[in-house]
Amino acid sequence: MPRNDGVSFTSSSFKIPTPNHSLSQTLASHLFRARHSAFQLIHSLRNRSNFSRNPPAASTHSAFGIHSLFRSSPLLCCASLSLTDSLSKSPLLCSASLSLSQPSSPDSAQSGPEAPQKGQSTTAGRYDEERVLISEVLVRNKDGEELERKDLEMEALTALKACRANSALTVREVQEDVHRIIDSGYFSSCMPVAVDTRDGIRLVFQVEPNQEFHGLVCEGANVLPSKFLEDAFRDAHGKVVNLKRLDEVINSINGWYMERGLFGLVSGVDIFSGGIIKLQVAEAEVNNVSIRFLDRKTGEPTKGKTKPETILRQLTTKKGQVYSMLQGKRDVDTVSTMGLMADVSIIPQPAGDAGKVDLIMNVVERPSGGFSAGGGISSGITSGPLSGLIGSFAYSHRNLFGRNQKLNISLERGQIDSIFRINYTDPWIEGDDKRTSRTIIVQNSRTPGTLVHGNQHDNSSLSIGRVTAGIEFSRPLRPKWSGTAGLIFQHAGARDEKGNPIIKDFYGSPLTASGKPYDDMLVAKFESVYTGSGDQGSSMFAFNMEQGLPIMPEWLFFNRVNARARKGVEIGPTRLLLSLSGGHVVGNFSPHEAFAIGGTNSVRGYEEGAVGSGRSYVVGSSEVSFPMLGPVEGVIFADYGHDLWSGPNVPGDPAGARYKPGSGYGYGFGIRVDSPLGPLRLEYAFNDRHAKRFHFGVGHRN
């Protein structure tokens, strides 16, 4: 999907309101107290140095007036609390900065810090690196009293790295430990205060703990599950708010949106008096979805042939939803599978309303139809110089009336095979919310009858002619499952080489169930299919049932069931593919509709239908494929099939008359090559009768 630089979200800064004072007043107070403490620290150093050289007659008091500090110290040491949105650190954590500057007058302590004057950087650096011996390090509240909660005192002391009792410290080291206390996440402010005592200089970190958490307000989170928030804050109730932990929670919320491809994030955080945390979440709501047709050559907007509502109904992204990039990608794939578009993309654009986006789907249409010609191979013919070759000619239109309705008229012709087919499909019936499709089929076909009634002693051949007309409805049942139901009428019979109707083969076996040249049947069909990833090596299961409806007395009455299953397993660079199929039919049915076993798509090593034909069957296959060179891969396989002793139950027992074994296996090896027509398969197989045979096929095995 093309990147859209126009849509962005800006995270607001973190705010900590106080119940009685404004933030600016609080910062000014911290600045003033920090200056006082720093002056005490430096003045204590100087005073103790003078004391060692010129001991006074009386003891020096540890408290100093602010004006005397200004007169005795050329430096101003300031610890200020800044609440900023940092790129390198968490936006929720307060950062403490310690700066050195020289005041111009004592009154400057009241008016705020000033920039260092020219020529003072050397002096500032000297005092920044000058070490002060600290005799004691304490953590107290902002009023200088002991903290009520000893666990918070331990958290602050644990965060200290340089500041230890009986250690010589620089201003920089004190500054770094102030940062560490703030970075622990439990405190909203930290101020170092130096107190000169009889035993030495005592360094006191005056901290202000965060409030205890007592409630959560979350606004703007329309799709974020409430349970997700409850679980995130469940263990925090009644505990002091830790800004690092709060930042982790916010990252997890943003990660929840990112994992699902949703345009959403936490845009603001507030902590109110009483320990109430307010999270402001920004979610990009879809304001409108529109279709824009682009010219194939110029890329400029143009008028399309497809009706916009035909495309829009394919989309799962709707107005009012939070926009999901993953959902948008699925919508692009869905529109692409319609077969109408050469290119599809979605461009999000900021809408007029804040927090909303407009989606523009750019589509480039393909030519809607035309004539085509091609060829193929029929597996029903196994002898002759042009064995199984088929030529085809077709006209197709894939976008009738601009509604994605498809019309296909085709003619296929081979040595014996011939199929004329008219197929009309509406992939989504208008007004249906279940994505039901409708297909109407009219077909006249002639196919070889050798699968069941081959190997005539007089070398003659017969074919099966069918005239079919029907309607089918298909729809998704659930993810990866689809269902099809239909009603099909069929008029079928056998013909000899001259095209004359026949009712018995060379062995005297009947070719129709009714004893007439043709059998008529009305078949109700139901099919359910499960597909994994859609890849040939993925899991698949299909169940098919056909029920003959004897509405007229001469129409056939039967029930046929058929099932197929496939499972692929990756083993290093190789892939193991296991498949199993089976079926059964009861009632009065045409003998040429019996299950045929053997051949390229059944048991390899045998001719088509040479293993057997019966009312029941089962075929199992295993293949191991491995890459060889580029699009070429090798394969080793083994197949087994059995008619479950049902061959004699077929009218006339055509399998028994031809001495088909009823069961057999084959094994061999081959190569496969990817091509625009599908995989080209060339295989060499051996069977249990010590016969060898080449098999060639196009496409995947059925």
Side-chain angles (χ1 to χ4, degrees):
M1 186 184 304
R3 177 182 176 185
N4 176 35
D5 295 328
V7 178
S8 63
F9 295 95
T10 304
S11 176
S12 63
S13 61
F14 176 66
K15 299 171 284 184
I16 305 179
T18 57
N20 299 321
H21 303 284
S22 67
L23 184 61
S24 60
Q25 292 173 336
T26 302
L27 291 177
S29 174
H30 288 324
L31 287 172
F32 179 77
R33 294 172 61 190
R35 293 169 185 157
H36 191 164
S37 303
F39 285 142
Q40 285 182 325
L41 177 64
I42 297 176
H43 188 79
S44 297
L45 173 64
R46 286 191 155 196
N47 187 68
R48 291 180 66 85
S49 178
N50 293 333
F51 178 83
S52 63
R53 291 192 300 266
N54 302 303
S59 62
T60 304
H61 197 277
S62 60
F64 296 89
I66 188 70
H67 293 290
S68 64
L69 282 174
F70 279 126
R71 288 193 299 269
S72 61
S73 175
L75 296 178
L76 173 62
C77 179
C78 169
S80 63
L81 178 68
S82 63
L83 306 179
T84 60
D85 187 2
S86 173
L87 293 176
S88 59
K89 293 189 177 182
S90 163
L92 294 180
L93 297 181
C94 306
S95 63
S97 62
L98 198 63
S99 59
L100 297 176
S101 60
Q102 179 168 349
S104 58
S105 66
D107 296 335
S108 64
Q110 304 293 338
S111 60
E114 298 182 6
Q117 300 297 324
K118 183 178 181 180
Q120 294 177 347
S121 60
T122 303
T123 306
R126 178 165 50 87
Y127 276 92
D128 183 55
E129 298 301 327
E130 191 171 355
R131 293 189 174 273
V132 179
L133 181 63
I134 301 298
S135 63
E136 188 178 9
V137 178
L138 300 176
V139 175
R140 295 290 185 263
N141 64 16
K142 61 180 180 179
D143 297 323
E145 301 173 353
E146 290 189 8
L147 295 176
E148 295 181 1
R149 298 188 53 163
K150 294 301 180 182
D151 57 335
L152 293 180
E153 181 178 341
M154 289 303 301
E155 290 288 347
L157 290 173
T158 303
L160 299 178
K161 183 177 180 181
C163 296
R164 295 285 188 269
N166 300 319
S167 60
L169 304 174
T170 64
V171 173
R172 185 183 302 278
E173 291 173 334
V174 176
Q175 177 190 18
E176 291 173 350
D177 272 351
V178 169
H179 277 286
R180 294 186 181 99
I181 292 178
I182 293 297
D183 289 345
S184 70
Y186 289 100
F187 308 97
S188 59
S189 68
C190 177
M191 183 180 303
V193 178
V195 180
D196 195 6
T197 68
R198 180 176 305 173
D199 297 327
I201 296 179
R202 176 189 300 156
L203 179 59
V204 180
F205 290 95
Q206 294 184 353
V207 297
E208 184 175 359
N210 295 327
Q211 304 178 63
E212 292 184 354
F213 173 67
H214 292 293
L216 174 69
V217 176
C218 186
E219 296 182 353
N222 298 317
V223 298
L224 183 68
S226 58
K227 188 178 185 303
F228 184 88
L229 291 173
E230 292 172 3
D231 293 343
F233 287 92
R234 188 183 306 278
D235 298 334
H237 193 273
K239 299 180 181 179
V240 172
V241 175
N242 186 298
L243 299 185
K244 290 181 66 176
R245 170 59 184 156
L246 182 58
D247 185 63
E248 292 174 357
V249 171
I250 291 174
N251 287 336
S252 68
I253 294 174
N254 293 339
W256 185 91
Y257 282 99
M258 183 176 298
E259 289 173 1
R260 289 154 182 80
L262 297 170
F263 273 28
L265 52 75
V266 178
S267 60
V269 183
D270 291 301
I271 302 180
F272 295 104
S273 59
I276 305 300
I277 296 178
K278 176 184 176 182
L279 299 180
Q280 185 66 45
V281 177
E283 296 179 344
E285 182 180 311
V286 177
N287 180 65
N288 187 43
V289 183
S290 60
I291 306 298
R292 180 166 59 191
F293 295 92
L294 301 180
D295 186 85
R296 292 196 305 272
K297 297 180 179 179
T298 65
E300 297 296 325
T302 185
K303 184 178 180 180
K305 298 178 181 179
T306 307
K307 294 185 179 298
E309 57 269 23
T310 300
I311 302 175
L312 290 173
R313 69 176 180 174
Q314 301 283 341
L315 309 183
T316 57
T317 302
K318 304 296 182 183
K319 181 178 180 180
Q321 294 179 348
V322 177
Y323 178 56
S324 167
M325 292 182 291
L326 297 180
Q327 191 175 7
K329 183 180 183 302
R330 288 194 295 267
D331 287 338
V332 169
D333 293 340
T334 299
V335 174
S336 297
T337 57
M338 294 171 64
L340 304 179
M341 309 301 168
D343 185 63
V344 183
S345 62
I346 287 183
I347 308 296
Q349 298 288 350
D353 296 337
K356 293 188 177 183
V357 295
D358 288 332
L359 300 181
I360 301 175
M361 175 169 278
N362 291 329
V363 296
V364 178
E365 290 183 302
R366 299 178 186 270
S368 57
F371 293 93
S372 62
I377 296 177
S378 170
S379 61
I381 302 177
T382 58
S383 61
L386 299 177
S387 174
L389 292 180
I390 298 175
S392 64
F393 181 79
Y395 169 79
S396 63
H397 197 296
R398 60 172 62 93
N399 195 15
L400 283 176
F401 316 115
R403 297 186 179 276
N404 194 30
Q405 298 174 6
K406 305 179 188 303
L407 175 66
N408 186 279
I409 303 174
S410 63
L411 173 64
E412 297 179 1
R413 182 71 180 177
Q415 274 185 289
I416 299 177
D417 301 60
S418 66
I419 301 176
F420 175 75
R421 180 189 296 117
I422 300 176
N423 186 300
Y424 164 80
T425 300
D426 185 354
W428 191 342
I429 300 174
E430 187 174 1
D432 177 78
D433 60 348
K434 302 297 184 181
R435 304 178 72 93
T436 304
S437 66
R438 174 180 56 221
T439 301
I440 299 175
I441 305 170
V442 177
Q443 179 175 293
N444 187 348
S445 65
R446 183 184 177 191
T447 57
T450 55
L451 292 178
V452 177
H453 297 91
N455 298 327
Q456 302 278 71
H457 276 191
D458 58 356
N459 292 324
S460 62
S461 61
L462 57 87
S463 60
I464 307 298
R466 297 178 178 89
V467 177
T468 305
I471 184 170
E472 294 181 352
F473 297 89
S474 300
R475 54 170 285 193
L477 300 178
R478 54 184 304 178
K480 299 184 180 181
W481 282 92
S482 63
T484 301
L487 197 63
I488 301 172
F489 176 81
Q490 180 174 286
H491 176 77
R495 293 177 178 269
D496 60 16
E497 292 178 325
K498 298 179 180 180
N500 300 317
I502 53 176
I503 59 175
K504 292 186 178 182
D505 64 8
F506 178 83
Y507 299 94
S509 301
L511 297 174
T512 61
S514 62
K516 300 178 181 180
Y518 295 95
D519 286 332
D520 293 328
M521 64 190 80
L522 181 65
V523 179
K525 172 185 175 181
F526 171 77
E527 184 178 39
S528 180
V529 178
Y530 168 84
T531 55
S533 63
D535 185 83
Q536 174 65 16
S538 65
S539 300
M540 183 277 294
F541 175 78
F543 175 81
N544 178 283
M545 183 178 69
E546 297 177 348
Q547 176 64 55
L549 304 176
I551 296 179
M552 301 296 289
E554 63 273 16
W555 290 4
L556 302 186
F557 178 52
F558 64 93
N559 180 270
R560 176 200 296 261
V561 294
N562 192 15
R564 294 174 288 125
R566 181 184 68 220
K567 176 66 176 178
V569 180
E570 299 286 344
I571 306 176
T574 66
R575 181 174 60 192
L576 173 64
L577 184 64
L578 303 174
S579 61
L580 180 67
S581 61
H584 180 67
V585 58
V586 295
N588 189 21
F589 74 105
S590 301
H592 56 77
E593 299 287 353
F595 295 111
I597 308 171
T600 302
N601 292 313
S602 181
V603 179
R604 286 161 286 192
Y606 282 90
E607 293 187 7
E608 303 297 324
V611 174
S613 55
R615 282 180 175 263
S616 305
Y617 88 103
V618 62
V619 171
S621 176
S622 63
E623 294 183 353
V624 176
S625 59
F626 48 90
M628 294 181 65
L629 181 63
V632 181
E633 67 176 13
V635 61
I636 302 173
F637 58 84
D639 307 321
Y640 177 79
H642 201 292
D643 66 2
L644 303 179
W645 305 278
S646 63
N649 298 327
V650 177
D653 187 14
R658 290 159 177 79
Y659 301 104
K660 294 182 179 180
S663 66
Y665 64 85
Y667 57 92
F669 57 90
I671 60 172
R672 293 175 184 170
V673 182
D674 284 336
S675 73
L677 299 177
L680 303 180
R681 299 182 283 128
L682 178 61
E683 298 160 337
Y684 189 64
F686 307 84
N687 66 22
D688 55 336
R689 304 275 171 169
H690 308 291
K692 295 169 282 189
R693 184 173 182 82
F694 275 105
H695 294 274
F696 179 75
V698 179
H700 297 289
R701 278 167 51 90
N702 296 331

